[in-house]
Amino acid sequence: MTNPTLTTLLNHRSIRKFTDEKLTTAEVTTLVDAAQHTPTSTFSQQYSIISVTDPEKLAVLGDITGHHWLEKSGHFFLFLADQYRNSQLVTATPATIANLHSTDKFLASIFDASIAVEAMVVAGESMGLGSTIMGSILNDVPRLIDLFHLPELTFPVFGLAVGHPAEKPECKPRMPQELIHFTNDYQPLTADSAPLAAYNKVITDYYQKRGDHPNAESFTHHVANELARDPKQRAKLNQALEYQGFLQHH
Ligand SMILES: Cc1cc2nc3c(=O)[nH]c(=O)nc-3n(C[C@H](O)[C@H](O)[C@H](O)COP(=O)(O)O)c2cc1C
C-alpha cells in the first residue's frame, strides 16, 4: 500500500546539515499550523512553541546541546510543556491548583508537545524540509528557564532544528515488527531471539556503510552504550521540574 503521506512517513530521516536558506514566514506559519492541528489531551492544548531567531540565544542552545550545527538551521523551534497558559484562564482553587501541578497534567503537557513536534517534522518533510528533534536541550534546563524567561508550569521538552537539507543520510532501519508490535499479550525478548540477532546484523551493516561508527555497533551495543551514560549529566532535571511546579500532586 502506498500514498504520499505514507511515502513521507516511511522516508523519514533526521537532518543535521542544512543549506543557508532560512525558512520563510509563510513556511514557519504553516509548520506551526500543522503542529496545532494535532490531537491534544482533553483539547486543552497544553504546550507552547518558541521560535528562536536571536543568534545569541541560538549560540547558547548550541553550547547546551553540543550541537552547534543547530545555529545553521533554517529555523529553530523550542517546544514547551505548558500548563501556565491554562492556569491563567482559571480562578485558583485548591482543586484547580492540585490539578495543574499534578503528575497527570504534567504528562498531558508532555504528550501534547510530543505529538505536536512530530506533526511539524512530517509537515516539514512533506514541504521538502528536513529536521532533527533535540532532547539534548535537557542538558541544562535551569539555563533555558533563565534564557527564555519560562514561567512556572512550563518546561522545555525538545528543540526542533528545521531547514533545507544539505545531506541525505540513509534511512535508519527499524526493528522487525515482531519485536515491537504484539497481540493481546506482552512478549518479552528471549535470549536467543532470531529477529533480534537479524536486526543486530542489519544495524551493524548500516553503521559500517555509513562509516561514522568505527566500531560498527549492533543495536544491542547501541542500547548498552546509551544506558551506560552517566545519568548525573541530567541530575538537575528533577530539581528543575520541582522548581517549575510540576509533579507536586498525584
Ligand atoms: C525525543 C527525541 C530526542 C532526540 N534528541 C536528539 C538530539 O539531542 N540530538 C540529535 O542529534 N538527535 C536527536 N534525536 C534524533 C534521534 O537521534 C533520531 O531520531 C534517531 O537516531 C533515529 O534516526 P532518524 O530520525 O534519522 O530515523 C532525538 C529524537 C527524539 C525523538
Side-chain angles (χ1 to χ4, degrees):
M1 187 190 290
T2 183
N3 64 44
T5 306
L6 287 171
T7 302
T8 303
L9 287 167
L10 297 179
N11 279 294
H12 160 76
R13 62 263 276 166
S14 293
I15 298 296
R16 298 178 178 83
K17 277 198 193 117
F18 305 100
T19 70
D20 291 338
E21 194 178 346
K22 295 288 167 197
L23 265 61
T24 62
T25 307
E27 284 168 334
V28 170
T29 305
T30 302
L31 290 177
V32 174
D33 216 6
Q36 280 198 275
H37 279 79
T38 52
T40 63
S41 177
T42 63
F43 185 43
S44 296
Q45 306 182 62
Q46 300 148 111
Y47 69 97
S48 291
I49 303 168
I50 298 179
S51 273
V52 186
T53 59
D54 177 346
E56 282 177 22
K57 292 194 176 187
L58 286 169
V60 176
L61 287 167
D63 285 343
I64 290 175
T65 59
H67 295 329
H68 285 282
W69 48 264
L70 72 82
E71 295 160 56
K72 300 203 176 87
S73 63
H75 199 86
F76 190 89
F77 297 97
L78 184 66
F79 279 74
L80 309 174
D82 187 358
Q83 296 293 348
Y84 182 66
R85 182 176 39 249
N86 289 350
S87 79
Q88 294 171 287
L89 304 181
V90 294
T91 312
T93 65
T96 59
I97 291 167
N99 243 320
L100 284 163
H101 295 264
S102 67
T103 303
D104 182 41
K105 283 293 177 193
F106 175 67
L107 288 176
S109 55
I110 296 289
F111 302 148
D112 288 0
S114 307
I115 293 168
V117 77
E118 177 57 10
M120 196 181 273
V121 168
V122 177
E125 288 170 356
S126 79
M127 294 155 64
L129 301 168
S131 61
T132 291
I133 296 176
M134 288 189 181
S136 40
I137 60 159
L138 296 181
N139 289 343
D140 198 345
V141 173
R143 204 160 167 205
L144 295 180
I145 292 170
D146 280 351
L147 190 65
F148 296 102
H149 307 111
L150 303 183
E152 64 157 355
L153 294 174
T154 62
F155 204 82
V157 187
F158 359 78
L160 185 69
V162 189
H164 292 269
E167 63 169 355
K168 193 172 183 199
E170 290 288 314
C171 276
K172 271 191 188 169
R174 297 327 202 220
M175 282 188 221
Q177 289 199 3
E178 58 205 289
L179 295 183
I180 208 164
H181 175 207
F182 315 130
T183 304
N184 296 325
D185 279 308
Y186 188 83
Q187 298 293 323
L189 265 183
T190 54
D192 59 348
S193 162
L196 177 64
Y199 185 56
N200 271 333
K201 178 151 182 7
V202 167
I203 290 296
T204 303
D205 291 349
Y206 166 82
Y207 281 132
Q208 228 152 27
K209 206 163 123 198
R210 224 174 61 160
D212 60 354
H213 276 242
N215 300 325
E217 56 185 10
S218 67
F219 185 69
T220 299
H221 284 131
H222 170 69
V223 172
N225 286 341
E226 288 296 325
L227 291 177
R229 282 200 209 190
D230 183 358
K232 282 200 215 79
Q233 252 192 342
R234 301 259 172 106
K236 292 182 237 162
L237 269 183
N238 271 3
Q239 283 157 278
L241 281 166
E242 204 176 302
Y243 184 80
Q244 291 301 90
F246 280 114
L247 303 177
Q248 295 184 355
H249 293 264
H250 294 293

